[in-house]
Amino acid sequence: PGGHVIVAVFGPDGPMQCSGLPVMRYAPDALHAQFGDTFELVEHASEAHRTPAGVEQQFVYCHCVMH
């Protein structure tokens, strides 16, 4: 209890694959749901990341606290 977790994932508009492998994509609420009710979603942010190949990929960051 009282611990923090910060997780970065591909966002809902992120790629379907990364390095040829399928990926999971999450909106903040869906990612928070993966941790269950023990965790409170404190804040979240989205970022558009540009790869070296020039492709834009959406990332979502979530900060949760365990109760």
Side-chain angles (χ1 to χ4, degrees):
H4 295 252
V5 62
I6 298 173
V7 179
V9 297
F10 287 118
D13 294 327
M16 298 294 288
Q17 293 186 339
C18 182
S19 299
L21 299 172
V23 300
M24 295 294 297
R25 302 179 305 164
Y26 290 96
D29 290 339
L31 180 59
H32 173 241
Q34 294 295 312
F35 289 96
D37 293 335
T38 305
F39 288 87
E40 173 190 352
L41 179 61
V42 177
E43 61 183 320
H44 62 84
S46 295
E47 174 189 21
H49 167 73
R50 188 164 301 279
T51 69
V55 177
E56 194 171 279
Q57 297 178 334
Q58 182 192 40
F59 282 86
V60 168
Y61 299 85
C62 288
H63 172 204
C64 299
V65 175
M66 184 181 187
H67 292 288

